[in-house]
Amino acid sequence: MIEEEKLTESLFEAPNIDQQERMVEAILFASSKPVTIKEIIGRLPYGCEPEKALKNLKEKYKSRGINLVKVGDCWALRTASDLSFLMQKETVEVRKLSRAAVETLAIIAYHQPVTRAEIEEIRGVSVSRGTIDLLMDLDWIKIGRRRVSPGRPVTFAITQNFLDHFGLESARDLPGLKELKSAGLLESPPPPGSSVPGELLEGEGEDLQSELFNEEKTI
Amino acid sequence: MIEEEKLTESLFEAPNIDQQERMVEAILFASSKPVTIKEIIGRLPYGCEPEKALKNLKEKYKSRGINLVKVGDCWALRTASDLSFLMQKETVEVRKLSRAAVETLAIIAYHQPVTRAEIEEIRGVSVSRGTIDLLMDLDWIKIGRRRVSPGRPVTFAITQNFLDHFGLESARDLPGLKELKSAGLLESPPPPGSSVPGELLEGEGEDLQSELFNEEKTI
Amino acid sequence: MVINNKHPSENFGSNSFSSELMPSDELIVDLDGFEGPMDLLLSLSRTQKLDLMKISILQLAEQYLDFVEKARSLKIELAADYLVMAAWLAFLKSRLLLPPGLDENEPTGEELAAHLAFQLERLQAMRDAAAKLMARDQLGRDFFARGNEEKVEKIKRIKYEASLLDLIQAYARTKTKDEFRPFVMDRDDVYTIEQALERMRGLIGYTIGWIDISTFLPDGWTSSAGRVRAATASTFAATLELAKNGDLELRQSDSFEPIQFRSKGTNK
């Protein structure tokens, strides 16, 4: 009787946590790209809750040569960055980005979602098509939702791949983000003289709308 | 003095075994191919003896989702072989059978054994090879006996699997057109309010016809 | 003042200036190195050796105008946006020097200066952020992904679905697809009374004398016994109807003899 019960259990219950850890480990190890929680769940046997396993694994790998890192809503195994000196062989020659490209990337990352006009306002020069194309090619930026404002301009935002490349868990972890925000440097106030009450209202409405839109998008 | 000695040590002596394990781990993880001992030695700091580290790692990874394996005289990290099922992602796509396929199948079911030419005559269009192949693949139709007529064309008939799938005991259980109509299963039902006496007469004639039709079918 | 930037801008190439044309001069201007007037302003502001938040915008405006003036005296062709900025800074300068105007809706010089200071600070902040970002550990340079990716084997199974209802409906569809008539009796061999009446009404006025019904059948209805029967019956029924209305007379000399009719109108 006990035998039978055990069998039923193993058929219908999720594997134990050790086994789940092994499975999550294997799934993440096999992929060179970060894997979403959703995909992990989809590949694990029915009933697994990988969050716990991921937490345990992260702890276990903390001091090892490979680390478990969170990238947005994905997870990935990456070599510890203090060992980069061993990796000359694997290092890929990264093309040096132009100042324009680096600045544009930073503005998109810190101000996202941001329109081309806003980038140009901040940099004081026009953004060339080539710069945007290059950043798109690198899969560091993507086109976001359209702004609900006259002309419905597209916005740009950073990608999962950007987070992965720069070892960021989320856009909130961008270096110095908090300081910039509290210093008001991530805002785009209209120049004085143009801030007639009507326009201000319009701006507010837009913000509200773009927030609504954002929610829509995440559905 | 001791301090100084320690510094000298760390400069000229090999990293401790834990550190060596981390390094070997990272090298194996990042490498696109299994790595020879020689190469590992070449990439580690001077004085390392990776054999020990490899042995330790092999032991540590033994029960994990990733295993350290020796391939010839190379070493590689691999997902544990008992977890290979996680590396497959099976997706089942449910597709509706195309209109052509359903119609062809229906004709075969109602008229079996039936030749391709006869199917084409009823449908009014030619039957594609792909349709027949698909129905054969699904094991819903089979090739029946050859017709004793010029060219000796093959006929098609339905299979036991067909009957199982559609929950029929035999092809004779398929409802006739008359029943279809009374069950309201026909498309384009006659316009409502058309039951004037004249039409009633027509209805009687119809009964006669569908009976004739039924007889035809059983031939 | 030495301004020389080694990174040529990708956006600003319209300057005809080349430093080789210049005799040795304390002012070496390489405008190609600047990404527009804001960039130039930011560089100039650094010469004040002050915290960006404390720089004198008035002084900066003067520096810029001085720069533009020198460029002009050296016959350097300046791009339009540099000149627009120069004009705006000249305006700002006058605002800052003159007492505030009476119009309260007009922004004051201080407000305009504050906004420019903010823009400069923001641009500098973005540059610093960009530097910090690029200084981070990067994938493929400082940390690495799995070198030998294991492909997830994708097994796709297609399951075809069809219900008995689909099947039955498909069959009904094929059997009834031409001008769908829901179980209407096939009328090929049926000549209705309505048809006969209509035809009789049209033709009766032109008839003279007694006519055998059997010779008055419509064209094409004498080809088969069935059609003859149908047409005869309907035509006879039609004559009865017309006789009842008084449009024609009927006669039959004896049982099973031909039935004849004639138009009543011909008698008159």
Side-chain angles (χ1 to χ4, degrees), chain A residues 97 105 135 138-142 157-159 161-162 165-166:
Chain A
L97 289 178
L105 179 65
L135 294 174
L138 287 165
D139 192 16
W140 283 351
I141 65 165
K142 64 182 177 196
I158 53 170
T159 61
N161 197 39
F162 170 93
H165 185 91
F166 291 100

Side-chain angles (χ1 to χ4, degrees), chain C residues 128-145:
Chain C
D128 295 343
K132 270 188 209 151
L133 189 65
M134 298 316 279
R136 279 187 72 85
D137 288 338
Q138 290 180 39
L139 180 67
R141 191 186 76 182
D142 306 294
F143 59 96
F144 297 83

Side-chain angles (χ1 to χ4, degrees), chain A residues 1 13 20-21 23 34 56 80 84 115-116 127 140-141 144 156 158 171 204 214 216:
Chain A
M1 279 305 273
E13 288 205 2
Q20 287 193 34
E21 270 182 51
M23 290 174 174
N56 292 357
S84 64
T115 65
R116 178 188 284 250
V127 175
W140 283 351
I141 65 165
F156 298 98
I158 53 170
E204 274 168 22
N214 213 355
E216 236 169 76

